[in-house]
Amino acid sequence: MSDTDEQGRTALNAAVDETIVAVRRMFYVLGDEIDRTEGPIEFTFHNGSTLLFDAGVDGAELRIGGAPWRDPFEPLVDPVNIEYVANSGKYTAFDVTDESPYDELAGRRVDAVSVVPLADGRPRAATLYLGRGMVKAESIADELIVTLISA
C-alpha cells in the first residue's frame, strides 16, 4: 500500500461520525457545455475536514484524499493553458449542495465506510453509508462514477 493510499484510507475512515455540510462536484466544461455525468466529488464536514474521491491516473484506481480539490489550471494565465482550455475544456468545481440529488446529503451523518479493492489492494470503489442511504464512488475506465441511494 502506498503512502497516498494510506492517507486516503485515513481520510475515508476519519469521515465516520462526521456530518456533511457541503458537496462539490467537478464537471468537465468545454465552452458552454457541462458534462454532469461523471467527475470528482468532494464532501466538506461540520468539523471543516474534507473528503475527495477522484479517478486515478491509471483509470482503475479510486483516489481518496483529505484535501479540497484544486484546479490545476488556476490561475489561468499561461497562454498554452488558455489555448488548451479553450479548445479542450477542463474540470471545474461546482457547489451542488443545494442541487438535487445532492441536496439530500447535507446534514447527513456518515455511519460507516467501505472500500472495494483492486486485485493489488488499491481502492477501486468506496461507499459512505448515511443511515439507510449511501454514496458510492467508483473508478471505471478513467471516469469517476458516483451513485447516490437515498433513504
Side-chain angles (χ1 to χ4, degrees):
M1 186 176 342
S2 71
D3 288 343
T4 303
D5 187 32
E6 286 232 11
Q7 292 168 355
R9 289 179 192 247
T10 298
L12 180 64
N13 289 329
V16 174
D17 294 330
E18 299 299 335
T19 301
I20 298 169
V21 296
V23 181
R24 289 196 316 164
R25 286 294 308 263
M26 283 38 84
F27 296 126
Y28 208 80
V29 177
L30 175 55
D32 294 336
E33 300 292 319
I34 302 171
D35 178 357
R36 298 176 76 89
T37 60
E38 63 89 23
I41 188 167
E42 175 189 286
F43 303 94
T44 302
F45 299 101
H46 76 283
N47 67 355
S49 65
T50 302
L51 180 63
L52 175 68
F53 294 132
D54 194 0
V57 294
D58 68 353
E61 178 182 10
L62 172 69
R63 287 190 356 207
I64 304 169
W69 181 81
R70 187 186 73 73
D71 185 338
F73 288 101
E74 291 298 327
L76 190 56
V77 294
D78 182 327
V80 172
N81 286 347
I82 291 169
E83 181 180 354
Y84 175 82
V85 168
N87 293 329
S88 301
K90 71 178 186 78
Y91 280 101
T92 301
F94 292 86
D95 182 342
V96 295
T97 306
D98 296 326
E99 295 180 22
S100 180
Y102 307 101
D103 57 349
E104 296 183 27
L105 301 177
R108 302 283 298 273
R109 184 175 154 266
V110 178
D111 295 321
V113 297
S114 67
V115 172
V116 175
L118 293 163
D120 63 7
R122 294 176 303 146
R124 183 185 71 75
T127 303
L128 303 179
Y129 297 93
L130 313 166
R132 292 179 301 202
M134 65 181 208
V135 177
K136 181 178 183 180
E138 186 172 21
S139 182
I140 301 174
D142 286 336
E143 295 184 352
L144 184 79
I145 306 301
V146 176
T147 305
L148 293 118
I149 298 175
S150 60

